Amino acid sequence: MNTSDLHIPYALPALLLTVALALKVPTVVRSWRDPDKRATWLFLMWACAVFFSVAPTSLAKLNEISGVPNFAAPWTYSLLTAFCASCLTMIITWREAPSVRRRTKVRRVVVIYAGIIVALWSTFLMADVPVERVYDLDTYYANTPWMREHIVLYLIAHMVSALVAAGMIWKWIPEVRSGWLKTSLFLLQTGYALGLVFDVAKLTAVTARWNGTNWDFLSTDVAPPFAILDASFVGIGFILPVIGPFLQKWPREQATYWALAPLARAIRHVTPSAAKARVGRFAPLDLRVLQRQQRIEDCMLRLAAYYDRDVYHRAYDVAALQYGEGRARGYAGAVAIREALGAYHDNCPRTSRDEPAQLGEEITGNLPAISRALYRPRIVDSIRQRVVPSRGSVTSHV
């Protein structure tokens, strides 16, 4: 097997987490002061950093760039420790409402794990580790003064974070009603269980070295797959409640946005009663859908005085002979809207100033169907010519 193939398992979760991180950047930039969004982004950032660092090729490159044998050890273990802290802070942030108590808990986690990171670098600087070990550093230096403490410290920190996080989740699961969040918590529990297997395998191999026994395979062969699975499950578990609802509603919102596009283009020359709100192209999709819906509804109010209900009913009778009820209502509405647009541009209202002008439910209740009908202008024109043959085409207005 090519050695590069061994590194693919590290690359796959790194790629997944990087994509998730990139998707969250716009939200975080807009809402950096929101502790929930900030905690999510920091978690993803630390998770990406860990996976990009732990691959053996990355470890060797870090050592080469720094010029210090085994520099990758404190670097990677520090990132892993920060990742553990971000997991705990994420759970605390999700579980508790904003309060002084929550801020205190988060601050306590940050301080404790920052202290562990300082201790990791301190023990490494005091240790004598001249021989570079990429695959078996933990067991090779298991009996080396200060490096022994360095190794045990990161393993204990990881194990404690997994146990604490699993305990908080275990108490929280019965209170959760959201399907996405409950699934996420089960994934997190699975991840932390796999992480504990990693810790036990590593500590067992290190302890064996202390007792003069070589069980290095537990550290080099057994533990790494569990570490990858641990981080993958935990990563997906934290991403799911964020991405899941988005993926659930995005197709529906995108379909609505596209479905209303022909109608939005048709009425683009109608002057709305209120100034158009400026929403950028990269604004959230739900905001752009809302803006398009409000723009259409506002313009429909402007067209109400030019709407001819008789045209609609005649068009419906013609369309109903060839199409089902839903499509017939869409085509009839499209014909009526085109007639109203023609009257609007000719400044020929259908109602007097004293007569209240309003669109019927046949229009306001079928806007998506009317918009879809405008995708087929030939059918709309054909029906229109049979309903109002005396007027010229108003296609140029729409």
Side-chain angles (χ1 to χ4, degrees), residues 206-233:
V206 169
T207 304
R209 278 285 188 147
W210 293 346
N211 294 316
T213 306
N214 187 333
W215 286 359
D216 290 7
F217 73 95
L218 291 174
S219 178
T220 57
D221 299 329
V222 176
F226 284 100
I228 294 171
L229 289 173
D230 165 24
S232 298
F233 273 98

Side-chain angles (χ1 to χ4, degrees), residues 112-262:
I112 291 173
Y113 278 81
I116 293 172
I117 292 172
V118 171
L120 285 171
W121 283 97
S122 299
T123 51
F124 177 78
L125 291 174
M126 289 187 288
D128 183 18
V129 285
V131 181
E132 181 184 46
R133 309 300 297 189
V134 173
Y135 292 95
D136 61 347
L137 180 139
D138 293 343
T139 49
Y140 187 87
Y141 287 113
N143 289 307
T144 302
W146 293 113
M147 197 61 185
R148 173 182 56 227
E149 288 77 10
H150 178 89
I151 294 165
V152 171
L153 182 61
Y154 97 83
L155 288 173
I156 294 298
H158 185 266
M159 179 179 288
V160 170
S161 72
L163 289 171
V164 172
M168 289 192 292
I169 292 172
W170 182 263
K171 294 178 182 178
W172 187 20
I173 287 178
E175 306 171 8
V176 175
R177 296 293 177 264
S178 167
W180 287 111
L181 182 55
K182 189 176 284 288
T183 302
S184 165
L185 295 178
F186 280 118
L187 289 172
L188 290 174
Q189 285 287 62
T190 303
Y192 289 129
L194 294 168
L196 290 174
V197 175
F198 164 82
D199 294 325
V200 170
K202 283 278 189 179
L203 285 171
T204 302
V206 169
T207 304
R209 278 285 188 147
W210 293 346
N211 294 316
T213 306
N214 187 333
W215 286 359
D216 290 7
F217 73 95
L218 291 174
S219 178
T220 57
D221 299 329
V222 176
F226 284 100
I228 294 171
L229 289 173
D230 165 24
S232 298
F233 273 98
V234 171
I236 295 171
F238 278 120
I239 294 170
L240 190 63
V242 180
I243 302 298
F246 167 79
L247 294 178
Q248 187 176 29
K249 70 177 184 177
W250 184 88
R252 182 173 61 251
E253 291 178 343
Q254 189 66 68
T256 301
Y257 189 75
W258 285 341
L260 293 175

Side-chain angles (χ1 to χ4, degrees), residues 232-394:
S232 298
F233 273 98
V234 171
I236 295 171
F238 278 120
I239 294 170
L240 190 63
V242 180
I243 302 298
F246 167 79
L247 294 178
Q248 187 176 29
K249 70 177 184 177
W250 184 88
R252 182 173 61 251
E253 291 178 343
Q254 189 66 68
T256 301
Y257 189 75
W258 285 341
L260 293 175
L263 183 55
R265 285 195 297 268
I267 63 172
R268 66 187 181 277
H269 296 303
V270 177
T271 304
S273 58
K276 181 180 178 181
R278 293 186 178 181
V279 176
R281 180 180 299 178
F282 299 104
L285 179 59
D286 56 351
L287 184 58
R288 287 185 283 134
V289 171
L290 179 62
Q291 184 206 34
R292 177 163 286 182
Q293 290 172 332
Q294 290 178 338
R295 161 76 177 168
I296 289 173
E297 291 171 3
D298 196 16
C299 289
M300 289 296 104
L301 291 176
R302 298 281 291 178
L303 291 175
Y306 304 90
Y307 171 64
D308 189 334
R309 185 172 277 104
D310 290 337
V311 170
Y312 172 86
H313 288 299
R314 292 198 302 271
Y316 177 78
D317 291 338
V318 171
L321 296 175
Q322 294 180 266
Y323 308 101
E325 181 180 353
R327 294 181 66 185
R329 291 186 183 280
Y331 286 128
V335 170
I337 290 297
R338 282 195 166 185
E339 281 299 297
L341 285 168
Y344 171 82
H345 288 291
D346 294 340
N347 196 22
C348 297
R350 305 292 187 183
T351 60
S352 65
R353 292 184 178 181
D354 297 331
E355 184 179 352
Q358 59 181 5
L359 293 174
E361 177 66 23
E362 68 275 8
I363 298 295
T364 58
N366 292 284
L367 292 178
I370 293 170
S371 186
R372 285 192 293 269
L374 291 171
Y375 269 123
R376 299 172 175 83
R378 292 184 180 179
I379 297 177
V380 174
D381 285 341
S382 174
I383 296 172
R384 181 189 166 280
Q385 288 170 5
R386 297 165 64 182
V387 172
V388 282
S390 61
R391 287 183 54 87
S393 174
V394 294

